[in-house]
Amino acid sequence: MNHLRVPLASVAEFDEIIDVRTPLEFADDHIPGAINAPVLSNEERVIVGTMYKQVSPFDASREGAAMVARNIAKHLDTLFADRPRNWRPLVYCWRGGMRSGAMTLMMNMIGWRARQLEGGYKTYRTDVVASLAALPPTLDYIVLAGHTGSGKTRLLHALADAGAQTLDLEGLAVHRGSLLGAMPDAPQPSQKSFDTSLVGVLRGFDATRPVFVEAESRRIGLITLPDSLMTSIRGTTRCVEVNVSVDERVELLTQEYGHLLMRPAHFRAQLLRLVELHGKAVVDQWLTLLDNGQQRELSEALITRHYDPAYTRSSRKLLQGLAKAIPFEFHPTAQDLRVQAQALLALTSPADRCGSEAAPQASSGDR
């Protein structure tokens, strides 16, 4: 048994977590709180891998060892130069192999009490995937449903500000969820990085309190939500249908998607993707509104012709509790969002839960 190896459960015992994989591997995902000290650069890893296949494993190992030694020396002279004598770092690479082994051995020769993560990042990723399956069913969800432009995300943030537990999936995915939902100048995380962030949030919830979450489709931009979470959200019997007037929805979309007018070519490309669904004549009308700078008219057209029919097709089929949802009149552009959130918390509190069954439902014209 290698006394320098420790299991994943020991992560919290260390002063610092060192990821020695390449910068590209680290950017894709890493253990929360880890810092990157690559023992092979992106380019060096390609060189060694190519040499392993095309020349020989021996030559690849010899060349790789020289690169690793130089990079470790550089990190010791710079990144780790100020670490104290009693420092206890945990080191990991992809599978707990040679890269992290070399760094761990050198650190212990210096006198630091470094340890190597058994199984490396692969073990951590396996734990994340298992947690994504196990954690969602342990929570009690209250789902916020409603048409696009109803300000559900604003309501979710106001609920958090009022002290509620909230799961902001669009925030984690860095995407508003709709066709035009890409955030300006903010790329989405990788799927693995999203999964890591999601597990961290789920682990922080108190299972005795409800978690408010927006109704989402399985994909948010390029991110796919885990099956267990989708099943748990769609299966909850506790739903709130957020009702907002069309005028307020148009105003909200005008505010939140106004940045698209600054990138008309991109906006046009997104609208053209809807030709197959709505036909060329309809999309041409929308493009004319875009070209003329008629933002409010375009927002209203998208609401009535695209978003609302899509909501009718999907949400009522997929959300089990929507038929008996609590109606909630919301004003997303008002100043009193926290007051409105507190009103919803009172409406969904355990004391009011029984009464909510008898609460008057919103008329079909309001939805």
Side-chain angles (χ1 to χ4, degrees), residues 51-363:
M51 185 177 292
Y52 188 93
K53 293 179 180 179
Q54 297 182 358
V55 183
S56 74
F58 172 79
D59 288 307
S61 297
R62 178 180 53 78
E63 184 66 24
M67 293 176 178
V68 167
R70 286 192 292 268
N71 288 323
I72 290 177
K74 181 180 66 176
H75 292 316
L76 293 175
D77 283 339
T78 56
L79 184 59
F80 304 133
D82 63 348
R83 299 305 191 268
R85 184 174 182 175
N86 61 349
W87 183 47
R88 295 194 66 221
L90 176 65
V91 185
Y92 74 91
C93 58
W94 167 238
R95 288 185 296 186
M98 294 178 63
R99 286 187 287 175
S100 56
M103 178 74 86
T104 303
L105 180 62
M106 182 59 69
M107 286 181 167
N108 276 278
M109 290 176 65
I110 292 170
W112 289 319
R113 293 178 293 169
R115 295 294 181 268
Q116 181 183 18
L117 177 61
E118 183 74 45
Y121 170 81
K122 188 175 181 181
T123 291
Y124 168 74
R125 175 63 184 170
T126 298
D127 181 69
V128 168
V129 172
S131 297
L132 288 175
L135 290 174
T138 67
L139 300 169
D140 175 28
Y141 301 93
I142 299 178
V143 179
L144 303 181
H147 295 90
T148 297
S150 297
K152 298 184 294 295
T153 299
R154 291 192 179 188
L155 178 55
L156 197 69
H157 293 170
L159 286 165
D161 189 45
Q165 292 192 135
T166 61
L167 176 56
D168 184 2
L169 294 170
E170 293 182 4
L172 293 175
V174 195
H175 197 281
R176 291 194 176 100
S178 65
L179 173 70
L180 306 176
M183 304 296 286
D185 304 319
Q188 290 193 262
S190 70
Q191 182 67 53
K192 291 179 180 178
S193 181
F194 171 84
D195 292 344
T196 284
S197 298
L198 177 58
V199 166
V201 173
L202 293 175
R203 285 175 174 163
F205 286 138
D206 178 353
T208 66
R209 299 171 56 209
V211 175
F212 287 85
V213 63
E214 286 187 61
E216 299 285 357
S217 60
R218 185 171 296 276
R219 289 182 66 83
I220 302 178
L222 300 175
I223 296 297
T224 300
L225 299 181
D227 291 339
S228 179
L229 180 62
M230 293 303 299
T231 299
S232 298
I233 290 175
R234 291 174 175 177
T236 184
T237 58
R238 304 186 67 189
C239 289
V240 174
E241 187 155 20
V242 181
N243 297 313
V244 179
S245 70
V246 172
D247 286 344
E248 287 182 285
R249 291 170 61 201
V250 169
E251 174 63 26
L252 184 64
L253 284 182
T254 301
Q255 292 179 13
E256 295 192 342
Y257 293 154
H259 64 275
L260 290 173
L261 286 182
M262 304 300 292
R263 303 169 60 196
H266 173 72
F267 202 166
R268 174 179 288 272
Q270 295 297 91
L271 292 175
L272 286 172
R273 292 171 59 190
L274 298 175
V275 169
E276 184 176 348
L277 182 62
H278 295 286
K280 186 175 185 301
V282 171
V283 173
D284 281 345
Q285 293 174 9
W286 296 346
L287 293 175
T288 298
L289 294 174
L290 174 63
D291 292 339
N292 293 337
Q294 296 174 273
Q295 187 172 358
R296 290 187 63 86
E297 292 80 1
L298 178 56
S299 295
E300 185 169 359
L302 288 172
I303 283 173
T304 57
R305 295 293 299 272
H306 175 65
Y307 288 123
D308 285 3
Y311 174 75
T312 300
R313 287 193 303 268
S314 61
S315 294
R316 295 185 180 279
K317 294 179 182 178
L318 298 176
L319 284 176
Q320 179 177 322
L322 193 56
K324 296 183 179 181
I326 299 172
F328 183 69
E329 301 296 327
F330 183 51
H331 302 284
T333 59
Q335 298 295 317
D336 63 340
L337 295 186
R338 181 168 181 171
V339 174
Q340 294 185 70
Q342 290 170 334
L344 179 56
L345 288 177
L347 194 61
T348 57
S349 67
D352 291 339
R353 194 175 301 174
C354 294
S356 67
E357 295 291 335
Q361 298 293 306
S363 66

Side-chain angles (χ1 to χ4, degrees), residues 2-17:
N2 189 340
H3 72 282
L4 295 182
R5 293 177 178 266
V6 296
L8 183 63
S10 302
V11 166
E13 300 173 7
F14 291 85
D15 299 327
E16 202 161 9
I17 305 172

